[in-house]
Amino acid sequence: MVIKKAYLKSTARLFKKHIVRLLSIAAIFVVTVALDSGLGDVETDIKKSINASYHEDEIHDFVIRGYGIEDIKNEIDKEKGNLDVAKTDLFYTFDSPDKRINTDRFAKRIIYRDFSNENSLDHLTLLAGHLPTSANEIVVERETVDIINHRLNEDISYEAWFYDVPIGTISATVVGIVKNPTMVAMRNDPSDYVETGKNQQIDDVFYYDIKYIDENVDPTLKSLTGALNIKLTDPIRKTFKGYSNKYESQIKATRSKIEELGSVKTSQAKVLSLYENFSLYSLNSYAAKVGNIALIFIIFFILIAILVIYSTMSRLLDEQRSSTATLKTLGYSNLAIGMRFVIFGLVAGIIGIAISVAPARLVTSVIINAFTIQYAMKAITFPVVGSFFFIMAGIVLVSSLTLILIKSIKMADAKPVELLTHKAPKVGKMILLERCKKLWNKMSFKFKSTWRNVFLFKARLLMTVLSIVASTILVYASFSLLDCTIANRDKGLDALFFISLILIVFSGALCALVVYNITNINISERTREIATLMVSGYTDQEVTGYVFREIYILTIMGAILGLPAGVGFMAFVYHYIDAPILAFKFVNWWTYLLAPVVTCLFAVLATFLLRRKIIKTDMNESLKVLE
């Protein structure tokens, strides 16, 4: 009982004495898990939205356009079983160059569809007004960046063309405004027909009821403008899942079967799948690019977090050598002793993960909202945290705890007498800078002491510089990505713009936490040294300068080394993403200066927060004889 009480007391003392360290580790979990899961869930959530629209709005799998579409429909209906076709939906459509505008850029899309058929595909969502009830009534597509805004009861008169053949002036009244689930892009929806000309984009979509087509369109034009939407059977549609690989292979096989049909061959019809649909596929592709960028940053953030957590806990283990020796003499196993530190890390992780729920959802929401600026996605209810949250939290937590357990068991494996014997101070050695006599002799004692301390503890030097290098890489990468986004804003990169801003904020926060952790540990390990300086009459400014100068030198070294490392990292990112909008030519020259400067500023901020801890050091307690 006494032995168990000693174990519990020792563990409780560990938490009480190092509460600041516990909270700093928790903060690293917050920054890492919130950003990683927030970024990681974006692609998943967008694909969920696409998938929901695909099924709920019964979006087509194929659309066939060509002469003699009625014959094609009849043959496909006969071969439904062999083609895995569940439903066909006939409509008529053509794109007419917009002659009102003195440019070849825009075209109007005229569609005749069966509004009375409840089983029609590509369900239109009625946003206002009602559906057409006469030959001269139309509903129009909702306003976007390119599509013109129309009012209810507005009278429209337009000159219709089929390719370069004038059809005549057509008048109609707008009775409704709708949203087509296959036209989710807010801009640059291109004409479906390459032959209509010169990269034309749709600036109007007019929907007529199909039962009035004979009153509006002559038989020759009708025969040339037929189209057929095709919905495949459920086993294939269930594989869609936001353009999955399995769905793609099924589509290729079915397309080949359709193209082999006699009526399709003779009419030379075009068989287009959802992969040729500009809006949906561009949304899916954009989400995938964001996902690829996110994945690279996610991996990097995880590695930095694990490095810093492990470094922090390693220093804590060194400070706990005497208590570890005491528990060993009481008969506790290496595993039991190691579990104290695992529990410490676990509590820090749980606190951090719990706090990161809200910021993780916020990151995802901000980016998803940025996507809605460019795409009219179907609104669906997302969970508070997605699956990626638990994956990220699990990876960081399990990896960190595993390393902590291995390190603590290794330390506990030593004999109690070895643990109770304090490590002898490191012997100072001549550093490279001392060989430059002219420079070295001009330095004051405090700077000579600082430079010697910097290189005296090689492990601390390496860990600190590596952490700062990693932080600088992230800061540079974030600014580099922002430059590329701003340079290509006209291409509709709102989501990428917000991702860049978020990355800058979280990179800066992680950088500040890294420096704060390292400095905090440095102060904790040197309380006797700090107290000695204070007893010797050093002022607060001199004492803090003595400690912080070392941190600033290490920070500058890490920032300088981090810049070329950041350039190399982004070279990999740009090559991996392989997108014209992401390239070094868009990166401003000042970004190469800004990244290391920002890293250093965050370091200064972190040390400023720890100044009070130094000047409030208890001299009597710190100078007590070591146990």
Side-chain angles (χ1 to χ4, degrees):
M1 183 66 184
V2 174
I3 295 176
K4 185 178 180 181
K5 190 174 181 180
Y7 182 86
L8 294 175
K9 269 189 168 182
S10 176
T11 304
R13 195 179 298 117
L14 176 68
F15 277 86
K16 184 178 179 180
K17 185 177 180 181
H18 299 284
I19 185 67
V20 174
R21 199 168 299 186
L22 181 141
L23 293 176
S24 66
I25 293 174
I28 291 169
F29 270 94
V30 171
V31 171
T32 306
V33 175
L35 178 70
D36 286 359
S37 64
L39 289 176
D41 279 326
V42 168
E43 183 180 0
T44 303
D45 288 352
I46 290 173
K47 285 183 180 270
K48 283 180 182 176
S49 176
I50 295 173
N51 204 48
S53 181
Y54 172 76
H55 290 291
E56 293 172 18
D57 298 323
E58 289 204 283
I59 293 176
H60 68 267
D61 295 289
F62 289 104
V63 58
I64 302 177
R65 294 193 174 112
Y67 180 77
I69 199 67
E70 292 88 352
D71 294 335
I72 294 174
K73 175 177 166 48
N74 291 334
E75 186 169 358
I76 288 177
D77 286 340
K78 289 177 184 177
E79 297 290 332
K80 275 185 178 180
N82 296 328
L83 299 173
D84 296 313
V85 171
K87 187 189 296 184
T88 59
D89 182 25
L90 181 68
F91 66 103
Y92 296 86
T93 181
F94 63 95
D95 290 349
S96 170
D98 194 337
K99 298 297 183 177
R100 296 181 310 166
I101 304 171
N102 188 25
T103 176
D104 290 327
R105 182 184 171 193
F106 295 103
K108 296 185 180 300
R109 179 165 295 166
I110 292 89
I111 299 174
Y112 287 83
R113 56 179 293 158
D114 191 352
F115 286 107
S116 63
N117 183 6
E118 294 180 358
N119 293 318
S120 62
L121 301 178
D122 298 345
H123 298 168
L124 298 181
T125 301
L126 187 63
L127 303 178
H130 62 83
L131 298 176
T133 57
S134 65
N136 65 339
E137 289 184 348
I138 59 171
V139 291
V140 297
E141 188 66 30
R142 92 281 185 232
E143 177 191 13
T144 70
V145 174
D146 285 329
I147 295 179
I148 298 168
N149 179 39
H150 291 289
R151 302 181 307 277
L152 292 178
N153 300 317
E154 178 183 348
D155 292 325
I156 290 175
S157 180
Y158 64 95
E159 187 179 354
W161 293 68
F162 183 70
Y163 296 111
D164 292 326
V165 179
I167 299 171
T169 302
I170 300 176
S171 299
T173 301
V174 177
V175 297
I177 298 171
V178 296
K179 176 180 174 293
N180 190 321
T182 67
M183 297 183 67
V184 295
M186 299 297 284
R187 65 181 309 159
N188 298 336
D189 209 316
S191 170
D192 286 329
Y193 300 112
V194 178
E195 292 89 348
T196 56
K198 307 160 183 180
N199 298 318
Q200 288 177 332
Q201 292 150 10
I202 302 301
D203 69 345
D204 257 326
V205 185
F206 299 150
Y207 300 91
Y208 291 82
D209 196 312
I210 198 171
K211 63 175 168 280
Y212 301 115
I213 189 170
D214 292 331
E215 298 179 35
N216 292 341
V217 179
D218 66 62
T220 302
L221 180 59
K222 180 181 175 182
S223 66
L224 294 171
T225 59
L228 186 69
N229 276 336
I230 295 174
K231 174 187 174 183
L232 299 180
T233 53
D234 284 345
I236 294 179
R237 288 179 69 84
K238 284 178 181 176
T239 67
F240 176 71
K241 297 178 182 177
Y243 290 92
S244 69
N245 291 334
K246 189 173 182 181
Y247 176 78
E248 183 176 9
S249 63
Q250 296 269 22
I251 285 296
K252 286 180 179 177
T254 306
R255 187 206 293 263
S256 297
K257 292 179 184 178
I258 292 173
E259 289 175 340
E260 287 301 312
L261 291 174
S263 57
V264 175
K265 277 185 174 181
T266 55
S267 64
Q268 296 181 333
K270 291 182 181 178
V271 182
L272 305 172
S273 72
L274 280 182
Y275 287 87
E276 284 79 43
N277 179 277
F278 170 81
S279 287
L280 283 177
Y281 192 63
S282 66
L283 170 58
N284 186 78
S285 299
Y286 191 14
K289 278 188 171 57
V290 168
N292 288 335
I293 293 171
L295 179 63
I296 297 170
F297 281 90
I298 284 168
I299 293 171
F300 208 75
F301 263 86
I302 287 175
L303 292 175
I304 295 174
I306 293 172
L307 171 67
V308 176
I309 292 169
Y310 176 71
S311 173
T312 303
M313 290 301 299
S314 295
R315 307 280 268 275
L316 176 61
L317 287 167
D318 285 338
E319 293 175 29
Q320 293 290 307
R321 288 169 62 85
S322 59
S323 65
T324 298
T326 303
L327 291 173
K328 281 212 74 171
T329 58
L330 291 173
Y332 280 94
S333 67
N334 294 345
L335 179 61
I337 293 170
M339 285 305 296
R340 294 170 64 238
F341 303 105
V342 172
I343 292 170
F344 186 91
L346 178 63
V347 171
I350 290 173
I351 292 171
I353 291 168
I355 295 173
S356 64
V357 171
R361 191 65 250 174
L362 178 63
V363 170
T364 303
S365 299
V366 167
I367 300 172
I368 291 291
N369 287 336
F371 267 92
T372 62
I373 298 173
Q374 299 166 245
Y375 298 94
M377 295 187 295
K378 190 176 187 69
I380 62 173
T381 303
F382 299 110
V384 177
V385 289
S387 58
F388 223 86
F389 178 87
F390 298 102
I391 294 172
M392 291 299 99
I395 290 174
V396 178
L397 187 61
V398 171
S399 301
S400 301
L401 296 183
T402 301
L403 291 174
I404 291 168
L405 182 60
I406 293 170
K407 176 77 175 179
S408 58
I409 289 177
K410 185 178 179 181
M411 182 190 73
D413 195 43
K415 295 177 180 179
V417 66
E418 294 174 359
L419 293 169
L420 287 169
T421 303
H422 287 273
K423 294 179 180 179
K426 291 204 71 170
V427 179
K429 297 179 181 179
M430 180 180 286
I431 62 174
L432 185 63
L433 192 59
E434 290 187 56
R435 300 183 187 278
C436 184
K437 297 295 183 183
K438 289 184 179 180
L439 180 61
W440 184 258
N441 291 336
K442 289 181 181 179
M443 285 187 185
S444 63
F445 171 77
K446 64 181 181 181
F447 279 103
K448 288 180 179 179
S449 174
T450 297
W451 279 105
R452 280 176 177 156
N453 281 339
V454 165
F455 291 99
L456 182 61
F457 303 97
K458 299 292 193 302
R460 182 163 59 191
L461 166 68
L462 182 63
M463 197 65 73
T464 303
V465 171
L466 276 178
S467 300
I468 300 298
V469 165
S471 299
T472 307
I473 290 172
L474 285 174
V475 172
Y476 169 78
S478 304
F479 279 112
S480 176
L481 197 60
L482 182 64
D483 284 345
C484 292
T485 308
I486 291 173
N488 292 278
R489 279 298 292 272
D490 60 325
K491 294 179 173 63
L493 301 175
D494 301 273
L496 206 53
F497 175 76
F498 282 98
I499 287 175
S500 302
L501 294 182
I502 286 171
L503 283 172
I504 289 171
V505 172
F506 277 83
S507 298
L510 187 61
C511 177
L513 281 170
V514 166
V515 177
Y516 181 91
N517 248 351
I518 292 168
T519 309
N520 186 40
I521 294 167
N522 199 359
I523 294 169
S524 298
E525 290 177 341
R526 301 170 69 179
T527 53
R528 285 178 61 81
E529 189 180 345
I530 292 168
T532 301
L533 293 173
M534 295 173 76
V535 169
S536 301
Y538 278 65
T539 65
D540 292 347
Q541 190 70 22
E542 289 171 329
V543 174
T544 54
Y546 178 78
V547 177
F548 290 161
R549 269 193 300 274
E550 296 176 27
I551 297 297
Y552 294 150
I553 289 172
L554 292 172
T555 299
I556 291 171
M557 290 170 61
I560 292 173
L561 292 173
L563 185 59
V567 173
F569 174 72
M570 287 311 291
F572 167 75
V573 173
Y574 293 153
H575 176 74
Y576 177 73
I577 302 300
D578 190 24
I581 58 170
L582 299 177
F584 282 113
K585 65 181 179 181
F586 299 118
V587 181
N588 294 307
W589 64 266
W590 59 79
T591 295
Y592 296 91
L593 300 177
L594 190 61
V597 169
V598 168
T599 302
C600 293
L601 287 176
F602 278 111
V604 172
L605 174 63
T607 54
F608 178 78
L609 295 173
L610 284 166
R611 185 177 184 277
R612 180 179 174 81
K613 181 173 182 176
I614 295 178
I615 63 178
K616 292 297 181 182
T617 299
D618 189 328
M619 289 180 282
N620 293 328
E621 186 68 27
S622 301
L623 292 172
K624 281 182 181 179
V625 178
L626 295 172
E627 295 85 350

